Amino acid sequence: MFKEFIKGLWEENPVWRLLLGMCPALAVTTTAINGMAMGLATTFVLIGGGVVNSLLKNIIPQKVRIPCYIVVISTFVTIVDMVLGAYFPEIHSVLGLFIPLIVVNCLILGRSEAFATHNPIHLAIIDAIGMGVGFTWGLTLLGGIREFFGFGSIFQLQILGDWFTPWVVMILPAGAFLTMGVVLGVFNNISEG
Amino acid sequence: MAKQDSKVAMIIVLTVIAIASATVLSLVHSVTQPQIEAVSEERREEAILGVLPGAVDYSEIEKDGLTLYEGLDEDGNVVGTAIERDGSGYGGPVGLMIGLDLDNNKVLSVRILEHEETPGLGARIEEGWFIEQFKEKPFGDEFLIDEDLEGIAGATLSAQAVGAAVSDSIDRIEIALAGGMEEYIAGLIQEVLPGTEEHETVTKDGIELHKGYDAAGDLAGYVIPVQGDGYGGVMELKVGIDPNLEEILGVTVVDHSETAGIGDVIAEADFQEQFIGKSLTDQFVLDEDIDGAAGATVSSEAFVEAVRDAVEKAKGLN
């Protein structure tokens, strides 16, 4: 059981090993807090979608399983969207555009299809939490690196002084690809070495 | 049979899931909706009061399809009018709240509500110095970057989006306050040709002009639109001339960019009334036939020049 949790953190980490959910991973990670918020929102949907789809696995006919999963997933995404809009308007205004896109995040549909519907509910929950935490730390790291170079801060805490000229490119889309590529290279090296 | 069962099952399962989903969502919606509305209401109120200095409250008014917010001070006096408007920026819409003083025809303040401009470049439209430039600008200003406003290096489009949105909002408000485009033009014509009830727009010898008719249907005069090259930019005038092409019946400024408090005297009635009753054979020399305003020679001269232009055009109508 512990194995199902731990695999999401490193061995099958969605960002660094499975390369799933790249769209939000690249698009919203301009700051650490944005990356973390997106990770947590995705985690909530992963858990909710995983639980319901795991429960319904014997009821849902094979042929219509994908539309069923998507309806369940989009329900949770819409809940996240509404709740963020109501209680965390600041985060919602930054992530707003990307929240609805969680529906088509292949990580979520992927885990429902590949894991939740083939395993009992407690394992589905553990898997979803593991994957969610793995996704969250991946996005937070990406956002942290980009924020550090792009603003000179981490979690909005100014680290570098006035002498530092922010690397604007790091918070532009190009910076996302640069950071992703370099970090991916380093991690590949670590796991192979 | 098994196949048929599974088809029915597919429909039932998918329908049931969709209904369950809709039920859950409408519950969540009913809980969060008031809060979401409160948040957006709070933001709007903060923005409205932010662009109207001295306002403590506001009331919403509808004018010819525009939603305007009138800011009220503690005694309930109107301190300005705000309008929310989207400009089209480089990365997407730029949401603005614009505070205007409709009594003195000048901008009070502008605030960026939301934008998707490039961080470090276009996003600098949010910086104080850029937004401050809009304060006290007269309505006639063209809000052109690098001419009327200092631009942002590497973000011309983003900066211009704000300028264009402000300029456009002013035009829309002016037209809306007059009760629509037709009414707006009719109002201007009435101003320079007193007693006009109807008008038609005609082109004569390549000159576009309006012919005004009184209640009896008789020709009340001609209105000739002209432009002058003022101190702050182009000024647009309408000059009303009597049916016999003998004298000026009225002059008004449609649009100008002269300095508030100095050159903008040309928009004042005292200055414009000097032209009423002047014969078309007059010379229209500044400081001889017409009194200029102190410190606003360029603006006054541009105005007189434009009137001379209209007079020349009118003479050509004979």
Side-chain angles (χ1 to χ4, degrees), chain B residues 92-134:
Chain B
V94 177
L96 297 168
M97 183 64 81
I98 303 162
L100 303 168
D101 182 345
L102 297 180
D103 292 329
N104 299 309
N105 289 348
K106 62 177 185 177
V107 178
L108 290 172
S109 184
V110 174
R111 181 179 283 211
I112 310 279
L113 302 180
E114 57 196 349
H115 69 86
E116 292 160 33
E117 303 307 285
T118 319
L121 295 171
R124 293 181 59 205
I125 54 173
E126 282 193 315
E127 289 178 6
W129 67 268
F130 179 74
I131 289 300
E132 286 289 318
Q133 299 185 87
F134 288 89

Side-chain angles (χ1 to χ4, degrees), chain A residues 56 59 61 63-64 68 71-72 75 78-79 82 85-87 89-90 168 171-172, chain B residues 9-10 13-14 17-18 21 24-25 28-29 31-32 35-36 39 43 118-120:
Chain A
L56 296 178
I59 303 167
K63 279 185 181 162
V64 290
C68 290
V71 171
V72 170
T75 307
T78 313
I79 292 173
M82 289 173 177
Y87 304 106
E90 293 304 315
V168 175
I171 44 177
L172 298 181
Chain B
M10 275 188 243
V13 169
L14 201 45
I17 289 180
S21 159
V24 171
L25 287 182
V28 176
H29 179 80
V31 173
T32 53
Q35 184 63 27
I36 291 173
V39 167
R43 278 189 179 174
T118 319

Side-chain angles (χ1 to χ4, degrees), chain B:
Chain B
M1 269 317 270
K3 246 185 183 171
Q4 242 169 7
D5 278 348
S6 104
K7 252 180 202 158
V8 171
M10 275 188 243
I11 294 167
I12 291 174
V13 169
L14 201 45
T15 310
V16 167
I17 289 180
I19 292 171
S21 159
T23 313
V24 171
L25 287 182
S26 45
L27 279 175
V28 176
H29 179 80
S30 64
V31 173
T32 53
Q33 192 56 24
Q35 184 63 27
I36 291 173
E37 269 169 20
V39 167
S40 82
E41 189 56 38
E42 202 175 289
R43 278 189 179 174
R44 181 181 304 135
E45 179 171 338
E46 199 210 308
I48 292 169
L49 300 183
V51 295
L52 299 173
V56 291
D57 195 12
Y58 71 92
S59 64
E60 200 176 309
I61 51 170
E62 287 286 334
K63 265 269 160 67
D64 200 48
L66 287 183
T67 307
L68 304 175
Y69 307 102
E70 274 190 335
L72 307 166
D73 68 7
E74 278 160 1
D75 304 323
N77 300 318
V78 176
V79 295
T81 305
I83 181 169
E84 197 177 343
R85 177 128 187 89
D86 276 351
S88 70
Y90 178 73
V94 177
L96 297 168
M97 183 64 81
I98 303 162
L100 303 168
D101 182 345
L102 297 180
D103 292 329
N104 299 309
N105 289 348
K106 62 177 185 177
V107 178
L108 290 172
S109 184
V110 174
R111 181 179 283 211
I112 310 279
L113 302 180
E114 57 196 349
H115 69 86
E116 292 160 33
E117 303 307 285
T118 319
L121 295 171
R124 293 181 59 205
I125 54 173
E126 282 193 315
E127 289 178 6
W129 67 268
F130 179 74
I131 289 300
E132 286 289 318
Q133 299 185 87
F134 288 89
K135 285 191 178 166
E136 300 292 319
K137 283 266 182 201
F139 278 7
D141 204 289
E142 287 165 68
F143 299 96
L144 290 175
I145 296 301
D146 293 336
E147 283 183 31
D148 310 301
L149 302 162
E150 201 182 319
I152 298 165
T156 311
L157 285 178
S158 308
Q160 191 55 68
V162 181
V166 172
S167 166
D168 186 48
S169 305
I170 291 170
D171 290 348
R172 278 165 185 261
I173 287 187
E174 285 188 322
I175 291 166
L177 288 178
M181 195 64 188
E182 282 298 309
E183 290 292 313
Y184 176 67
I185 291 174
L188 289 170
I189 290 173
Q190 257 168 18
E191 213 177 302
V192 295
L193 285 184
T196 309
E197 291 293 330
E198 296 279 334
H199 75 268
E200 59 171 345
T201 305
V202 293
T203 310
K204 234 180 180 177
D205 301 332
I207 304 165
E208 196 185 88
L209 52 89
H210 311 289
K211 283 166 104 170
Y213 298 97
D214 63 15
D218 295 327
L219 187 64
Y222 301 92
V223 176
I224 302 177
V226 278
Q227 290 193 339
D229 196 7
Y231 181 73
V234 176
M235 60 173 80
E236 284 178 45
L237 277 64
K238 285 203 191 294
V239 180
I241 292 170
D242 81 301
N244 304 320
L245 297 171
E246 281 168 356
E247 60 174 332
I248 292 177
L249 294 180
V251 181
T252 194
V253 179
V254 183
D255 214 0
H256 76 89
S257 331
E258 303 312 289
T259 319
I262 305 173
D264 68 351
V265 291
I266 55 145
E268 286 172 12
D270 281 351
F271 180 79
Q272 295 176 359
E273 278 167 5
Q274 297 185 80
F275 293 87
I276 297 176
K278 286 272 181 207
S279 163
L280 260 57
T281 54
D282 225 87
Q283 292 304 309
F284 295 100
V285 177
L286 189 65
D287 293 333
E288 284 182 28
D289 310 306
I290 303 291
D291 293 330
T297 314
V298 177
S299 306
S300 313
E301 181 57 49
F303 191 97
V304 174
E305 173 87 45
V307 174
R308 269 203 297 264
D309 184 23
V311 167
E312 284 308 311
K313 283 179 175 167
K315 284 177 180 166
L317 293 175
N318 263 329

Side-chain angles (χ1 to χ4, degrees), chain A residues 66-119:
Chain A
I66 301 289
C68 290
Y69 299 161
I70 289 290
V71 171
V72 170
I73 291 166
S74 56
T75 307
F76 283 99
V77 171
T78 313
I79 292 173
V80 170
D81 195 29
M82 289 173 177
V83 170
L84 280 183
Y87 304 106
F88 305 94
E90 293 304 315
I91 290 177
H92 188 263
S93 66
V94 176
L95 299 182
L97 191 64
F98 298 96
I99 298 284
L101 291 179
I102 299 178
V103 176
V104 288
N105 186 329
C106 39
L107 168 63
I108 294 164
L109 187 62
R111 294 324 288 176
S112 275
E113 169 82 1
F115 195 93
T117 49
H118 299 291
N119 289 284

Side-chain angles (χ1 to χ4, degrees), chain A residues 171-193:
Chain A
I171 44 177
L172 298 181
F177 287 100
L178 288 174
T179 316
M180 185 78 203
V182 170
V183 178
L184 206 56
V186 170
F187 282 178
N188 276 343
N189 210 326
I190 294 172
S191 55
E192 279 162 21

